[in-house]
Amino acid sequence: RWFTHFYVVSVLWNGFLLICLFRAEFLGESLPSWIHDMHHALGRDSQSKDMGNEHFSALLVLLLLWLHSCRRLAECLWTSVFSSGVIHIVQYCFGLGYYIAVGSTVLCQVPTNVRNGKKLSVQICWYHIIGVMMYIWASLHQHRCLAILANLRKSRSGKVVSLSHSVPFGDWFDSVSCPHYFAELLIYVSMAITLGIHNVTWWCVVMYVLFNQALAAVLCHEFYQKNFSSYPKHRKAFIPLV
């Protein structure tokens, strides 16, 4: 349940960054000075030519990241049923820092000293459409899987009747033990596509999500196999067929 704090921070912080970038893109305002300092430290202000759709791509990804945080916060508050499990203080602090850093990473993909000057309709490219469609598809499945997990602890009337673990069925649970983790990976891949596929920095973020979610999925998969003798043997831990 402490993961709720991560999404509160993400909604507030990434919402603030989204407003800053929106005002810079559409109202002609300059980004805050500390963002310029951050760009300077990372060498991003050395670019002097038009970088195409980087401004719009970053704005779109920051919007998707903020919407993702809003949905996860709502699910933590009104959908999920948490047990009495705890989180290590190091993991908790790292999680808070991660959601601050990931939004800043998106913002750092935008050169601060150039504006492409194109109309919004001209800036929409094929990879924006594919990325957003994949984002919506993965988000819907993640929500369904989280709802399935929550319903295992609820009665038909919606009242919480148990905090114990049960074997989930339905949707992507028929293929993997942790489809909500797999959907999380797909969401970050969709953002990489939205940024134009070629963005190496964001693919590093995707690799972090891959290893992080895979580790959690394997531990969860082993828990299911150990505690439920009739657990479906065809299910994989994280990625279907892998």
Side-chain angles (χ1 to χ4, degrees):
R1 71 180 69 252
W2 288 76
F3 273 60
T4 305
H5 298 180
F6 299 163
Y7 301 118
V8 170
V9 170
S10 183
V11 168
L12 295 176
W13 173 250
N14 293 315
F16 166 72
L17 296 182
L18 181 62
I19 292 174
C20 289
L21 188 56
F22 180 88
R23 296 179 68 170
E25 182 70 15
F26 296 105
L27 302 180
E29 298 182 8
S30 60
L31 292 170
S33 58
W34 61 268
I35 295 180
H36 287 273
D37 294 338
M38 184 167 57
H39 277 75
H40 178 72
L42 297 173
R44 291 290 291 178
D45 59 348
S46 62
Q47 301 182 56
S48 58
K49 63 179 181 179
D50 190 328
M51 299 303 294
N53 293 323
E54 282 194 343
H55 285 82
F56 179 67
S57 297
L59 182 66
L60 188 55
V61 169
L62 205 52
L63 175 61
L64 296 180
L65 182 63
W66 181 75
L67 290 174
H68 176 61
S69 301
C70 288
R71 177 180 62 81
R72 290 294 295 117
L73 176 59
E75 289 167 343
C76 285
L77 293 175
W78 296 298
T79 300
S80 299
V81 180
F82 298 103
S83 65
S84 56
V86 296
I87 185 174
H88 196 282
I89 184 63
V90 174
Q91 185 183 7
Y92 177 76
C93 294
F94 183 86
L96 292 176
Y98 169 78
Y99 282 100
I100 293 176
V102 72
S104 303
T105 300
V106 177
L107 202 60
C108 284
Q109 306 313 301
V110 182
T112 58
N113 61 336
V114 293
R115 291 182 59 83
N116 51 35
K118 297 179 181 178
K119 293 182 179 180
L120 184 62
S121 59
V122 178
Q123 292 180 327
I124 297 178
C125 298
W126 62 269
Y127 51 81
H128 295 146
I129 298 174
I130 293 177
V132 171
M133 290 178 63
M134 182 177 180
Y135 171 88
I136 295 173
W137 174 66
S139 297
L140 287 174
H141 278 285
Q142 187 178 56
H143 177 74
R144 290 173 185 171
C145 292
L146 289 171
I148 289 173
L149 287 175
N151 289 334
L152 291 174
R153 296 175 171 178
K154 297 179 182 179
S155 64
R156 290 184 178 274
S157 62
K159 182 180 178 180
V160 176
V161 295
S162 172
L163 295 181
S164 61
H165 292 85
S166 303
V167 179
F169 292 93
D171 205 82
W172 287 354
F173 279 109
D174 295 334
S175 300
V176 294
S177 296
C178 301
H180 47 308
Y181 295 159
F182 178 54
E184 184 82 3
L185 174 63
L186 293 180
I187 287 172
Y188 278 84
V189 170
S190 72
M191 293 180 190
I193 295 174
T194 304
L195 276 174
I197 302 178
H198 62 277
N199 192 293
V200 176
T201 302
W202 195 258
W203 281 112
C204 290
V205 176
V206 172
M207 292 302 294
Y208 163 76
V209 174
L210 168 63
F211 292 126
N212 177 274
Q213 299 296 299
L215 174 60
V218 168
L219 293 174
C220 186
H221 184 67
E222 292 175 348
F223 173 86
Y224 280 129
Q225 292 179 323
K226 179 181 179 181
N227 291 275
F228 300 97
S229 58
S230 61
Y231 192 72
K233 296 184 181 301
H234 68 276
R235 288 190 190 180
K236 304 302 181 183
F238 180 42
I239 300 176
L241 307 178
V242 177

